Amino acid sequence: MRIRTRLLILILVILVPAFVAAILAVWYVYQEERVAQETSVKEAVRAFSLVVDNELETKEGILRALANSPALARGDFDNFYRHASSLAPGDETGIILIGLDGRQLLNTRAPLGAPLPFRRASNIDLLMKRTGADRTLVSDLFVSAILHRHDFAIQVPVRVDGAIRYYLSMGINAATLQNVLREQRFPAEWQATILDRNGKVVARSLDADHYRGHSVSNLALSLFAAHREGVFTSRNLAGIPVQAFYSTVPASDWKVLISIPTADLRRVPLHAAMFLATIMAVLLVLASVAARWFARRAAVPIEYLGRSAEDLGAGREVHYQPQGVIEIDAVAQRMAEASRQILAAQGELEQRVTAAVAASERAQTALVRGQKLEALGRLTGGIAHEFNNLLQTLTTALQLASLTANQPKVLSLVDTCKRTVNRATALTTRLGSFGRVQDARLLTVDPGEQVRGSVQLLRGVLLQGTRMEVQCADDVWPVTIDPVQFDLALLNLAINARDAMPDGGRLLIEARNCTLEATMERTGGDYVRVSVADTGTGMPPEVQARALDPFFTTKPPGQGSGLGLPQAYAFATQSRGWLTLSSTVGAGTVIDIYLPRSRQPLSAVAARADAEGPGRGSGRVLFVEDDPLVREAVVRGLEDCGFDVMVAADGDKALAMLDAGLDADVVFSDIVMPGKVSGIDLAGILRERRPGLPVVLATGYTEQRAVIPGVQVLAKPYEIDQLVELLSNLSGNR
């Protein structure tokens, strides 16, 4: 057999797999293009459903604004009719006021006082029975009783003094939704349709007037009932085979449907596959011609290229060796360059994959840890809220008891109870470590002074033979934190360091300024870094990976709770910073807490001298509190100090009292209360309605942020003399 024949056979052996690979590539491209196109259409359908939902919400907003009309609340239908008519000019929309008995009271499509239909033409009554009358309802398509055309309606309840008095409905010409379809600018071959719950056409991009009110096929109706979105193959109302994509409009349970002719849907991936097949075919033909030409030249250079091709296919680097033939040498050199580029790209890809996997693992770990801390925070926060209400009652009652009792034994017992309440207060403060930061406890402090002030507390938990060093820079920036949680975090870290150094060692606490660059995992800027480093036994990698998880501990049962490091981590996170941990087995552990620099001035901490009792005050105080025990104790204390106290059990009642003409000098309200109006909502409403009325808020624990300028916040439990002094200053300055 001639060498050329052998070379041709070798080339064919190489080209046949390449040809098969080309066929597979063409099939793969075709399938991928189909999937990509279907995915794109599904996203377009979801976006279209949100556009329709937004259009309905706009109409709902108009009704909500009309429902709050003062004229409607007074029953002044003349003014309300003029106002409603100005918002619904022409015949495209109509505003209808309906009584609780279902009778139309006015309709902007008819003159005021004209006879109106008694029964609704829409299915709103059925929807009210099915889902309730206290929410926004969107009807299905119906024929208007007045204009005799296809309409749909949106209804909202009208509340007067907290109770539903009327229903306000907007009848809308279904043809107005054609504007929504035109704005989407779908391709001409796409047929977009808006359907009601019953599958009837509300709007359609093609022949809307002809098909409006027609129902889709039973297959489509069954799919709509079973799934909120999906795709199916059918024939449209014109009988054309289509691929139909549908999605649900959130607020109304309507459906949007985009139908694309099957032939058009397959055209794009088919063209892409044919284009790729053509390229592959051309390349294979050219390769065959070139192979025959190279085979005639010589066997050795081709064998060299074959070996180079094998190396390239195996992922090995191809080393260029000149063969004396310009063309073969050029191909060989390019193969060598390609192999180096492939290896370099492969190495870079491996590095990126490794970095991406590591970042994903870190993000997953942080997410799981955050979820655990959030769950723990909700549990402990709820407990802290209830305990603080109880402690508030005890604090106020004990202070009042100390003022009325004169027997030394009774006063001694009261003093013992006060100390017990203080210990319970410290306990509830620890319970709040894992919840949201409480604004009432935030102070802007010098972290260096805070660390130095904790030295004596930290020395008390260290073992004999442990040397503690504190190194705080003189110009440390201020930070806004909860000082109690900061001290508790340092204490927990010191206890962990003590347990890691059973034979003694060195504990170093530092506070330094640092400026960090922004990364994907944190924001940049000015921070204060508080470091706690020990020379203990250190942690192995598997322990470091779980050290910040709540309740994880390596200590024997009964000797560790697993909440020390998680508390410090939660404190750093609450303070808008973060915590990092690095440890080496046998060398020790370093924990850094980064706290953002505060631009606020240092908080003034007033030292309160022991007084014989609360001062005297005057003025009218509106006290808003849902806990009856707290109300009873605090009202008694304020009245004994000279205040005239009016009580409201929640924010809704407080607003009702003020709207009824109650004249108060100051409002003192709890934050967390039942009903629709919390203490923070009440303060915001009063700031708009009665800007001169001072407001003081109190909280044991809350998930909300009290960030209303001029509103002071007291943390429960508070002393009655502290409250009396604050209320006296506010009521006297009014």
Side-chain angles (χ1 to χ4, degrees):
M1 185 180 292
R2 298 176 59 183
I3 186 64
R4 186 175 65 180
T5 304
R6 292 178 179 269
L7 291 175
L8 288 175
I9 293 174
L10 178 62
I11 294 299
L12 288 176
V13 170
I14 297 175
L15 289 180
V16 168
F19 182 76
V20 174
I23 295 175
L24 294 176
V26 170
W27 177 84
Y28 177 79
V29 168
Y30 176 77
Q31 294 297 328
E32 286 298 306
E33 284 292 329
R34 284 195 61 186
V35 171
Q37 189 175 30
E38 288 186 3
T39 301
S40 176
V41 176
K42 288 178 181 178
E43 292 297 329
V45 172
R46 294 192 190 102
F48 182 32
S49 69
L50 295 178
V51 169
V52 176
D53 187 65
N54 184 64
E55 181 70 16
L56 296 179
E57 287 182 351
T58 301
K59 305 296 185 183
E60 178 189 354
I62 297 175
L63 289 178
R64 292 288 183 185
L66 284 172
N68 293 322
S69 169
L72 185 58
R74 296 192 306 268
D76 186 355
F77 290 168
D78 291 341
N79 286 331
F80 178 77
Y81 180 86
R82 288 192 293 273
H83 185 199
S85 298
S86 67
L87 294 179
D91 293 330
E92 296 301 323
T93 59
I95 307 298
I96 306 167
L97 182 64
I98 304 169
L100 297 180
D101 57 356
R103 184 182 300 275
Q104 293 189 18
L105 301 179
L106 59 85
N107 189 325
T108 60
R109 287 175 173 172
L112 186 64
L116 298 174
F118 178 78
R119 295 288 182 183
R120 300 177 192 258
S122 68
N123 64 338
I124 289 290
D125 290 334
L126 179 61
L127 294 176
M128 291 171 63
K129 294 178 181 179
R130 184 186 306 166
T131 63
D134 58 346
R135 52 174 289 184
T136 300
L137 299 174
V138 180
S139 77
D140 294 320
L141 194 70
F142 65 93
V143 177
S144 170
I146 295 179
L147 299 178
H148 305 290
R149 70 185 180 197
H150 286 101
D151 281 6
F152 66 95
I154 301 177
Q155 175 179 293
V156 299
V158 179
R159 298 180 181 274
V160 178
D161 296 330
I164 297 178
R165 181 73 60 82
Y166 310 104
Y167 298 109
L168 196 58
S169 177
M170 177 184 288
I172 305 168
N173 185 2
T176 59
L177 292 181
Q178 294 297 131
N179 296 328
V180 177
L181 291 173
R182 284 191 289 271
E183 291 171 358
Q184 305 313 304
R185 297 184 179 179
F186 291 124
E189 62 271 19
W190 291 19
Q191 180 179 292
T193 309
I194 302 175
L195 306 169
D196 66 10
R197 298 177 186 85
N198 298 321
K200 291 186 177 180
V201 175
V202 179
R204 195 170 185 264
S205 58
L206 298 175
D207 298 327
D209 294 333
H210 176 71
Y211 288 106
R212 184 173 293 112
H214 285 61
S215 181
V216 295
S217 65
N218 293 330
L219 171 63
L221 290 175
S222 62
L223 290 174
F224 291 169
H227 307 284
R228 294 188 65 81
E229 62 179 17
V231 58
F232 62 94
T233 302
S234 180
R235 291 180 178 270
N236 61 15
L237 295 177
I240 301 174
V242 294
Q243 193 86 0
F245 300 80
Y246 67 91
S247 183
T248 303
V249 180
S252 62
D253 285 337
W254 284 10
K255 294 291 188 294
V256 294
L257 182 71
I258 292 182
S259 301
I260 304 176
T262 304
D264 294 334
L265 192 64
R266 294 176 180 175
R267 184 181 301 121
V268 173
L270 187 60
H271 285 179
M274 292 178 61
F275 177 76
L276 180 61
T278 302
I279 292 177
M280 290 291 186
V282 171
L283 291 177
L284 288 174
V285 171
L286 292 177
S288 299
V289 173
R292 292 178 60 86
W293 185 80
F294 276 111
R296 288 193 299 268
R297 294 284 297 177
V300 175
I302 295 178
E303 292 176 354
Y304 165 72
L305 288 180
R307 293 191 298 269
S308 298
E310 291 177 358
D311 292 339
L312 183 63
R316 296 187 294 269
E317 184 178 358
V318 176
H319 300 283
Y320 170 67
Q321 296 177 357
Q323 299 297 312
V325 180
I326 296 177
E327 292 80 1
I328 293 180
D329 288 345
V331 173
Q333 188 173 8
R334 290 176 181 176
M335 290 178 67
E337 293 175 354
S339 71
R340 289 191 294 271
Q341 293 175 358
I342 290 173
L343 291 175
Q346 183 177 359
E348 182 180 357
L349 179 60
E350 290 177 352
Q351 292 178 356
R352 290 185 177 180
V353 170
T354 301
V357 170
S360 177
E361 290 177 350
R362 289 195 299 271
Q364 180 66 21
T365 301
L367 176 62
V368 173
R369 184 179 297 123
Q371 290 174 342
K372 291 180 180 178
L373 289 175
E374 182 179 2
L376 183 59
R378 290 183 181 276
L379 174 62
T380 57
I383 296 174
H385 174 263
E386 295 300 326
F387 267 92
N388 279 328
N389 276 340
L390 298 176
L391 293 175
Q392 180 60 62
T393 304
L394 291 174
T395 299
T396 305
L398 289 172
Q399 189 167 4
L400 295 177
S402 65
L403 297 177
T404 57
N406 52 16
Q407 298 179 14
K409 290 184 178 181
V410 174
L411 292 175
S412 176
L413 291 174
V414 169
D415 185 61
T416 301
C417 292
K418 286 183 178 181
R419 291 195 298 271
T420 303
V421 169
N422 290 335
R423 290 182 60 186
T425 301
L427 176 60
T428 57
T429 301
R430 294 188 180 185
L431 285 176
S433 301
F434 300 94
R436 293 188 181 274
V437 63
Q438 301 300 296
D439 296 321
R441 305 183 190 278
L442 290 179
L443 295 175
T444 301
V445 301
D446 182 341
E449 291 297 326
Q450 195 71 22
V451 170
R452 285 188 284 267
S454 303
V455 168
Q456 192 62 33
L457 174 65
L458 302 181
R459 290 188 190 277
V461 302
L462 299 179
L463 299 175
Q464 186 176 2
T466 301
R467 184 175 76 260
M468 186 173 72
E469 298 180 10
V470 177
Q471 299 178 6
C472 298
D474 296 333
D475 58 345
V476 179
W477 293 319
V479 294
T480 299
I481 57 173
D482 183 341
V484 175
Q485 299 300 333
F486 180 80
D487 293 344
L488 181 58
L490 291 181
L491 180 62
N492 285 328
L493 297 181
I495 292 174
N496 284 349
R498 175 199 67 189
D499 295 339
M501 300 185 293
D503 299 325
R506 175 172 175 262
L507 177 65
L508 174 63
I509 303 177
E510 291 184 297
R512 307 279 182 191
N513 296 333
C514 63
T515 301
L516 304 177
E517 297 292 335
T519 67
M520 294 180 62
E521 300 176 354
R522 67 165 187 259
T523 57
D526 294 336
Y527 290 87
V528 175
R529 178 174 58 86
V530 179
S531 298
V532 179
D534 64 62
T535 57
T537 56
M539 304 180 194
E542 62 273 12
V543 174
Q544 288 189 55
R546 300 188 58 193
L548 299 178
D549 292 344
F551 305 113
F552 174 76
T553 179
T554 58
K555 300 174 184 177
Q559 298 186 19
S561 64
L563 294 177
L565 276 174
Q567 183 277 328
Y569 175 83
F571 161 74
T573 304
Q574 291 174 7
S575 303
R576 295 182 295 110
W578 67 89
L579 179 147
T580 62
L581 182 150
S582 60
S583 184
T584 304
V585 176
T589 300
V590 178
I591 297 175
D592 294 325
I593 297 177
Y594 292 87
L595 301 173
R597 177 183 182 180
S598 176
R599 302 293 178 177
Q600 302 295 326
L602 294 178
S603 301
V605 182
R608 297 178 58 199
D610 293 337
E612 295 182 356
R616 300 292 297 175
S618 62
R620 306 189 73 187
V621 178
L622 175 56
F623 181 38
V624 188
E625 172 62 58
D626 64 300
D627 192 303
L629 295 177
V630 176
R631 286 202 305 267
E632 182 179 352
V634 175
V635 168
R636 173 70 179 274
L638 292 177
E639 289 178 344
D640 288 349
C641 294
F643 288 100
D644 183 10
V645 183
M646 287 75 67
V647 177
D650 53 49
D652 298 300
K653 294 180 180 178
L655 280 179
M657 294 171 65
L658 292 170
D659 291 340
L662 176 65
D663 184 19
D665 296 315
V666 62
V667 175
F668 177 46
S669 174
D670 191 14
I671 289 182
V672 180
M673 295 181 294
K676 296 183 178 179
V677 180
S678 67
I680 296 175
D681 297 333
L682 177 62
I685 293 172
L686 293 181
R687 183 174 177 81
E688 295 179 358
R689 296 183 183 179
R690 302 179 68 172
L693 181 61
V695 179
V696 178
L697 299 178
T699 178
Y701 179 85
T702 178
E703 294 283 338
Q704 297 176 284
R705 298 297 307 273
V707 286
I708 302 176
V711 176
Q712 301 193 43
V713 183
L714 288 179
K716 290 182 180 180
Y718 47 80
E719 298 288 343
I720 194 67
D721 54 347
Q722 178 188 8
L723 175 61
V724 169
E725 180 182 357
L726 177 59
L727 295 182
S728 297
N729 293 336
L730 292 176
S731 61
N733 293 331
R734 190 181 178 206

